[in-house]
Amino acid sequence: MSQEPPERPGTARFAAALGVRRNAAVGFALGALVAVFLTYGAVTGPQDAYSDAAYVALGFVLAVGTGLLATLLLTVVSAVRLARETSRSVPPAARRRRGSPSR
């Protein structure tokens, strides 16, 4: 008798409900755009103080950092919306029962 894991574990359903994959795509696209814009401005500026490899490395770090931050913020917004939507769908009587201490 083998125990097979469920088709979609709770974590995967939670991530799907929050739209993490979409948020990551939007966040990292935004991060790449910000990095290209700022790195281009630094490279074409009045003085090249650093090598091109340094600018590429800094651009990569900027893209990843901005992408992670944007993904986090978009996912928090999704979580807040989902929580508000879920709390509206619960009837008031059920909300009172949930908050009351069990005997």
Side-chain angles (χ1 to χ4, degrees):
M1 180 156 87
S2 66
Q3 294 250 332
E4 294 182 20
E7 299 246 344
R8 292 197 73 177
T11 305
R13 282 186 283 155
F14 184 62
L18 292 179
V20 173
R21 184 172 290 208
R22 183 197 69 84
N23 292 343
V26 171
F28 281 98
L30 177 67
L33 288 174
V34 167
V36 166
F37 177 74
L38 292 177
T39 304
Y40 177 76
V43 169
T44 59
Q47 290 182 340
D48 278 341
Y50 302 103
S51 69
D52 291 341
Y55 285 117
V56 169
L58 289 172
F60 175 76
V61 170
L62 181 63
V64 170
T66 305
L68 287 172
L69 181 62
T71 300
L72 174 70
L73 293 175
L74 289 169
T75 303
V76 166
V77 169
S78 296
V80 169
R81 284 183 183 163
L82 184 63
R84 286 182 182 163
E85 188 178 289
T86 304
S87 70
R88 284 189 203 128
S89 66
V90 175
R95 273 189 245 148
R96 281 193 297 270
R97 275 186 266 135
R98 254 191 230 167
S100 66
S102 58
R103 296 177 193 192

